[in-house]
Amino acid sequence: EADIYQTPRYLVIGTGKKITLECSQTMGHDKMYWYQQDPGMELHLIHYSYGVNSTEKGDLSSESTVSRIRTEHFPLTLESARPSHTSQYLCASSGGLGAGELFFGEGSRLTVL
Amino acid sequence: QKEVEQDPGPLSVPEGAIVSLNCTYSNSAFQYFMWYRQYSRKGPELLMYTYSSGNKEDGRFTAQVDKSSKYISLFIRDSQPSDSATYLCAMRAGTALIFGKGTTLSVSS
């Protein structure tokens, strides 16, 4: 079982609030990712990092920001949440070898009222 | 045209049936082909992956890749209620991993 953890699992907040979704992995992986998943839709990459102090935006535009100060930690922040941010956010990491398969956390389901 | 196409289903089968899940793709540069399983309210977990063309078997699961047809399949033999989940195909060319929408499978006992 992969050792990647996300908190909170579920969050319901009001519009305009600042939120941070936490993601930590204990596998020593350099590469970490944030995906957004909506019902019936593909996983879309919103942010990724190939190491400490390295962050890039993915193929889906997002108003969220990320940071990578420590290898094991990759938090995602929304400065001012809106109902359009309601979604499931999945964090993943990869050792980068071979197929570069991703190990996912259990997800953070965000609902913005 | 999306790079990866996957019929979302849902697909319902009785226990013991053979299940076939499929994806088509348009990018001939894809080299790694993966299948993930996602249970409700959980993150996806890797089932198996294949490099380039060919078959790969793991227990009741067989993955097939036909690069000439740009078509991949996952077969589940002797399906069990515990196989009920959403199955996502994913493909990699270089650093980008592209996912299908996922097919929801329900196996009834």
Side-chain angles (χ1 to χ4, degrees):
Chain A
E1 196 166 310
D3 296 319
I4 181 163
Y5 307 100
Q6 289 186 242
T7 57
R9 290 290 316 280
Y10 303 93
L11 181 62
V12 180
I13 60 167
T15 297
K17 299 292 186 184
K18 177 180 178 178
I19 66 110
T20 296
L21 304 180
E22 302 286 351
C23 177
S24 295
Q25 51 97 3
T26 59
M27 296 172 282
H29 288 165
D30 285 328
K31 298 179 181 178
M32 295 189 73
Y33 309 81
W34 277 102
Y35 283 85
Q36 191 169 331
Q37 185 179 36
D38 295 305
M41 301 297 291
E42 302 89 339
L43 271 71
H44 283 294
L45 181 67
I46 52 175
H47 297 284
Y48 62 97
S49 166
Y50 286 172
V52 171
N53 294 325
S54 155
T55 61
E56 301 287 344
K57 289 188 178 295
D59 56 8
L60 181 68
S61 175
S62 174
E63 293 166 349
S64 58
T65 59
V66 292
S67 62
R68 189 91 183 275
I69 298 172
R70 303 198 314 267
T71 298
E72 63 272 20
H73 195 214
F74 191 40
L76 180 147
T77 298
L78 274 166
E79 291 292 335
S80 180
R82 294 205 300 271
S84 60
H85 297 137
T86 294
S87 187
Q88 162 113 307
Y89 293 85
L90 289 162
C91 181
S93 71
S94 168
L97 300 177
E101 60 268 35
L102 301 183
F103 296 90
F104 284 89
E106 294 201 320
S108 293
R109 178 163 296 282
L110 173 65
T111 301
V112 184
L113 303 177
Chain B
Q1 181 188 10
K2 290 185 180 293
E3 280 194 285
V4 178
E5 299 276 4
Q6 184 176 11
D7 185 341
L11 183 61
S12 296
V13 301
E15 183 176 356
I18 297 174
V19 176
S20 172
L21 304 169
N22 311 294
C23 289
T24 59
Y25 63 94
S26 57
N27 186 349
S28 57
F30 286 137
Q31 291 282 14
Y32 289 98
F33 303 89
M34 305 173 196
W35 286 96
Y36 283 82
R37 177 176 61 196
Q38 185 174 22
Y39 290 115
S40 180
R41 299 185 182 86
K42 299 286 189 181
E45 57 177 337
L46 181 70
L47 268 178
M48 52 200 310
Y49 75 86
T50 310
Y51 175 72
S52 195
S53 283
N55 295 358
K56 187 171 185 178
E57 189 172 321
D58 184 1
R60 296 185 294 110
F61 298 88
T62 300
Q64 284 186 352
V65 175
D66 182 348
K67 293 193 76 177
S68 62
S69 301
K70 296 189 176 67
Y71 188 86
I72 72 169
S73 300
L74 177 71
F75 297 96
I76 307 174
R77 290 184 300 280
D78 187 26
S79 56
Q80 302 295 310
S82 60
D83 296 328
S84 299
T86 297
Y87 291 80
L88 301 98
C89 63
M91 308 178 189
R92 179 184 293 280
T95 56
L97 186 63
I98 309 299
F99 286 87
K101 288 185 178 182
T103 300
T104 298
L105 171 67
S106 176
V107 181
S108 56
S109 57

